[in-house]
Amino acid sequence: MYKITLKIDGMSCPMCESHLNDIVRREFKIKQVKSSHKRGDMVIVADDKLDRSELERAVGSVGYKLLSYECTPYEKPGLFAQFKR
């Protein structure tokens, strides 16, 4: 799994977050998405890496601008994750 963190310009309210979350859910196969207009970011969890240019197109289609993209491996936290070392 991967954690994709996007910095997004133009979000100003919870409705902006909702619009972005909806478009990402519709256009990509993801596990989870969460946006914050206060931080200006979106965090996506997906089984596969998502293409930056496709994300940029999707974000732009609803009037926002993708400023940065970071993709890192992600391990789902679980009950026993604290015991792994």
Side-chain angles (χ1 to χ4, degrees), residues 4-32:
I4 299 125
T5 305
L6 310 175
K7 286 292 184 184
I8 298 174
D9 184 41
M11 286 193 290
S12 59
C13 67
M15 195 55 127
C16 296
E17 298 169 1
S18 179
H19 286 300
L20 282 167
N21 293 345
D22 288 345
I23 195 77
V24 168
R25 282 188 195 104
R26 275 195 308 261
E27 302 224 1
F28 302 95
K29 185 177 177 185
I30 63 166
K31 297 284 187 184
Q32 180 181 6

Side-chain angles (χ1 to χ4, degrees), residues 4-8 40-42 44 55 59 66 68-70:
I4 299 125
T5 305
L6 310 175
K7 286 292 184 184
I8 298 174
D41 69 3
M42 171 185 278
I44 303 166
L55 283 165
V59 167
L66 179 62
S68 71
Y69 168 99
E70 180 183 352

Side-chain angles (χ1 to χ4, degrees), residues 4 11 40 46 50 61 65 80:
I4 299 125
M11 286 193 290
L50 302 180
S61 74
K65 184 176 181 181
F80 298 104

Side-chain angles (χ1 to χ4, degrees), residues 43-72:
V43 178
I44 303 166
V45 175
D47 284 331
D48 300 309
K49 291 181 181 181
L50 302 180
D51 184 67
R52 180 189 173 124
S53 62
E54 290 179 23
L55 283 165
E56 194 165 17
R57 179 197 48 77
V59 167
S61 74
V62 288
Y64 304 97
K65 184 176 181 181
L66 179 62
L67 300 176
S68 71
Y69 168 99
E70 180 183 352
C71 182
T72 57

